[in-house]
Amino acid sequence: MAPTKKGAARREQILQALAGMLEGDSNQRITTAELAREVGFSEAALYRHFPSKAKMFDALLDYIDEVLFERINLIAREAEDITQRCHHILTLVLNFAEKNRGMCRLLTGEVLTGELARLRPRVQQIFERMETQLKHLLRTARATDDIALPMTASASAHLMMVTVEGRISRYSRSQFRHRPCEHWNEQWDVLAQALFHAPRAHMAL
């Protein structure tokens, strides 16, 4: 049975509260009792919308997945050169983490401990899908746009993703002091020069 409009609103309220609580001390375990107090429901009411705390975190990951990949797919279809498309995708992810601190902590996996540890592969899958999308864009551009890459598409996509993941991790680890977009455009210019402007003779096959 599909959830009612009121039920969907309650689910969203619960998830927003949970995301807000994740912005706090990452070492502090969030209990359903605390979450219930935050949203003003009883614990029983929480469980009417989500059968377990893990399902709440699952729903947050669904949201991250949907929001990011809907936009990534749009960027991938834009009529821009490969450098701009890669930059837009990476900037999208960094901006999302910066503006959604609770989601940022979820993306680092640091809040997925205890019974929630089983969800870590889902976080890994999100980053792997991003890397796969970048590899596909690079391979297509190399075949159709006559670009030169100093490394394979796989190695280039990997370098971009570890750069993004490192910035997100630093943001969370610093208690949100070091923004992931700090100095990003300047550093991207240097990275892009290395990735996309190699001499044809050094192009990876």
Side-chain angles (χ1 to χ4, degrees):
M1 182 182 298
T4 64
K5 188 173 182 180
K6 182 179 179 181
R10 287 286 180 88
R11 283 172 58 90
E12 184 176 351
Q13 186 179 354
I14 292 167
L15 294 177
Q16 287 177 347
L18 177 57
M21 293 176 74
L22 288 173
E23 294 184 22
D25 185 356
S26 60
N27 295 317
Q28 185 67 36
R29 182 171 173 267
I30 297 173
T31 67
T32 52
E34 291 169 335
L35 180 57
R37 284 195 298 271
E38 183 72 18
V39 295
F41 300 165
S42 66
E43 284 189 74
L46 288 183
Y47 287 121
R48 281 198 293 272
H49 297 286
F50 295 98
S52 67
K53 186 166 66 173
K55 288 296 183 183
M56 299 176 198
F57 280 83
D58 236 343
L60 284 180
L61 289 169
D62 285 341
Y63 171 79
I64 293 172
D65 192 288
E66 180 180 344
V67 167
L68 288 180
F69 284 100
E70 180 180 350
R71 297 175 187 175
I72 286 171
N73 289 334
L74 287 174
I75 293 169
R77 294 194 293 268
E78 289 177 352
E80 296 182 305
D81 68 36
I82 185 63
T83 308
Q84 291 174 313
R85 280 182 286 167
C86 288
H87 179 244
H88 290 336
I89 288 171
L90 301 181
T91 303
L92 165 69
V93 179
L94 294 174
N95 275 324
F96 180 86
E98 185 170 318
K99 294 175 181 177
N100 299 277
R101 294 178 174 184
M103 304 292 192
C104 175
R105 285 224 157 111
L106 191 52
L107 284 171
T108 65
E110 63 193 281
V111 295
L112 298 176
T113 59
E115 76 274 22
L116 299 173
R118 68 172 184 81
L119 296 176
R120 286 183 178 176
R122 280 213 61 195
V123 175
Q124 182 62 27
Q125 184 181 49
I126 289 172
F127 284 109
E128 287 176 352
R129 283 184 64 198
M130 292 177 196
E131 189 167 330
T132 297
Q133 181 71 278
L134 290 169
K135 281 190 288 188
H136 175 72
L137 288 174
L138 290 167
R139 286 169 177 161
T140 301
R142 190 172 60 190
T144 60
D145 299 340
D146 197 35
I147 65 166
L149 299 176
M151 300 184 289
T152 63
S154 294
S156 299
H158 179 265
L159 176 58
M160 285 188 275
M161 286 309 303
V162 296
T163 301
V164 165
E165 290 186 59
R167 285 172 166 271
I168 292 173
S169 294
R170 185 171 186 255
Y171 183 48
S172 181
R173 190 175 62 249
S174 69
Q175 300 299 313
F176 307 118
R177 291 193 306 276
H178 297 294
R179 298 182 301 105
C181 291
E182 186 178 6
H183 307 304
W184 167 239
N185 287 330
E186 305 146 78
Q187 292 172 359
W188 168 255
D189 287 344
V190 174
L191 185 60
Q193 284 290 329
L195 286 172
F196 300 110
H197 297 281
R200 169 62 63 181
H202 293 150
M203 183 180 70
L205 300 176

